[in-house]
Amino acid sequence: VQLVESGGGSVEAGGSLRLSCATSGFTYSSYTVGWFRQAPGKEREGVAAITMDGLTPYTDSVKGRFTISKDSDENTLYLQMNELKPEDTATYYCAASADRLAALWGWREPSRYPYWGQGTQVTVSS
């Protein structure tokens, strides 16, 4: 299983970015895939996921602003981020898990994801 993120960058508050995660080695129907972020000095947090059952949970702070999606034919996971805020500044990671519990209440728990990309930096200036 491999995951490679791209699309990070620096934007002003209110701007948009789309992150991409090229995946290989698994099928989306059998894995939960998610986006996480980690700001300096903070714990890694779950941002959004697409569970193996097709559900799309989001953390409260990004609801209505971020959209997670996937292109199964292209084996790519996306995170469209609109109305960006300075507090969205972080390194963003995509991750994958075949753990059934990650598809349920555990989607936001980094420990349930054994496969990770290298991360891409997102910086939002005020």
Side-chain angles (χ1 to χ4, degrees):
V1 174
Q2 290 189 319
L3 306 100
V4 180
E5 303 96 338
S6 61
S10 297
V11 295
E12 293 185 349
S16 299
L17 283 173
R18 188 176 79 157
L19 304 183
S20 299
C21 176
T23 65
S24 62
F26 67 93
T27 57
Y28 285 105
S29 61
S30 299
Y31 276 67
T32 290
V33 289
W35 286 98
F36 290 76
R37 65 186 180 186
Q38 188 166 20
K42 295 189 176 181
E43 294 186 352
R44 191 168 296 191
E45 67 165 342
V47 176
I50 300 178
T51 72
M52 57 181 69
D53 300 311
L55 301 177
T56 54
Y58 293 85
T59 194
D60 285 348
S61 63
V62 307
K63 285 180 180 177
R65 300 189 298 122
F66 290 11
T67 303
I68 189 171
S69 63
K70 62 179 172 68
D71 184 330
S72 299
D73 292 337
E74 296 294 327
N75 292 319
T76 303
L77 179 70
Y78 299 100
L79 186 67
Q80 178 67 44
M81 303 185 296
N82 299 328
E83 302 176 33
L84 282 161
K85 303 176 181 180
E87 51 263 43
D88 294 319
T89 295
T91 300
Y92 284 72
Y93 301 88
C94 58
S97 175
D99 182 351
R100 183 60 187 171
L101 291 179
L104 302 171
W105 49 266
W107 75 267
R108 64 175 76 238
E109 296 182 10
S111 62
R112 297 205 175 273
Y113 293 77
Y115 306 108
W116 292 84
Q118 81 287 354
T120 186
Q121 179 66 36
V122 172
T123 302
V124 185
S125 58
S126 57

